[in-house]
Amino acid sequence: KQEVTQIPAALSVPEGENLVLNCSFTDSAIYNLQWFRQDPGKGLTSLLLIQSSQREQTSGRLNASLDKSSGRSTLYIAASQPGDSATYLCAVRLRRGSTLGRLYFGRGTQLTVWP
Amino acid sequence: NAGVTQTPKFRVLKTGQSMTLLCAQDMNHEYMYWYRQDPGMGLRLIHYSVGEGTTAKGEVPDGYNVSRLKKQNFLLGLESAAPSQTSVYFCASTPNAQETQYFGPGTRLLVL
């Protein structure tokens, strides 16, 4: 069974800092990996999707990297802002059974950026 | 284009009562999923559907049933609610198994 772990569980930083959120997974035979953002009381919004053949993806101030062999992904947030405060979730899709599209989620990192 | 919508947004049930949660998507997606989110547990897959008229069990299917009679709708039923089913339920859809899943806003369910 795929286990997805996110560290740290919570993070509180002042505005302007560069951040790294970590995600690790036990089964390296993944099809792709996604990072989501979840605001309190809201649904999930997809931030970045990295295919297994890719090393990284970038969107604005966000950069996600993937090291499939070591079972790790990082989400880098540059120049953090209070509006970045949310819970960030990592999810992987296994190559085995990839036609089903099933995602395995980590428990998330709760980020607070204070002014 | 509303994306993925869920009704109701919030519901309180007594133990033993039944209810149906509705998920609707207007993006013509084939795949739809029901998850539950509990504190400290992350999101867990309850049931999913890979097309109209098909459903399959996920990680935690006990106590739930689903139906996908129309492509745009995915219903989650609780026949006899239990306090352990108190949770936030999310529906998601995707055009195919490899692409991004789009999530609804969630339904908060409290079972007393």
Side-chain angles (χ1 to χ4, degrees), chain A residues 1 31-32 34 36 38 41-44 46 93 98-103 105 107, chain B residues 31 33 35 37 40 42-43 45 48 59 90 97-101 103-105 108:
Chain A
K1 179 184 174 184
Y31 192 89
N32 55 37
Q34 271 185 274
F36 291 89
Q38 184 177 25
K42 304 290 186 181
L44 281 68
S46 180
R93 183 178 282 114
S98 64
T99 55
L100 303 177
R102 176 176 175 173
L103 290 175
F105 282 87
R107 297 179 182 183
Chain B
Y31 294 71
Y33 307 84
Y35 296 91
Q37 186 177 38
L43 274 84
L45 183 65
Y48 62 97
E59 183 182 356
F90 288 101
Q98 290 75 43
E99 293 190 30
T100 295
Q101 290 189 12
F103 281 77
R108 295 181 179 276

Side-chain angles (χ1 to χ4, degrees), chain B residues 8-99:
Chain B
K9 288 184 171 56
F10 177 70
R11 184 77 181 269
V12 179
L13 287 180
K14 294 180 180 179
T15 296
Q17 287 185 319
S18 63
M19 78 164 293
T20 300
L21 283 67
L22 171 63
C23 175
Q25 51 92 5
D26 60 3
M27 299 174 282
N28 200 35
H29 287 172
E30 289 291 338
Y31 294 71
M32 297 187 74
Y33 307 84
W34 276 108
Y35 296 91
R36 61 178 288 174
Q37 186 177 38
D38 302 292
M41 296 293 292
L43 274 84
R44 292 180 291 171
L45 183 65
I46 305 172
H47 285 280
Y48 62 97
S49 168
V50 298
E52 181 179 324
T54 73
T55 62
K57 294 180 180 180
E59 183 182 356
V60 288
D62 293 342
Y64 305 95
N65 56 75
V66 288
S67 64
R68 182 108 182 263
L69 298 180
K70 294 183 179 180
K71 187 177 183 179
Q72 64 268 33
N73 296 336
F74 195 27
L75 279 62
L76 179 70
L78 287 73
E79 290 188 349
S80 180
S84 62
Q85 294 177 305
T86 292
S87 188
V88 181
Y89 292 85
F90 288 101
C91 175
S93 72
T94 183
N96 60 62
Q98 290 75 43
E99 293 190 30

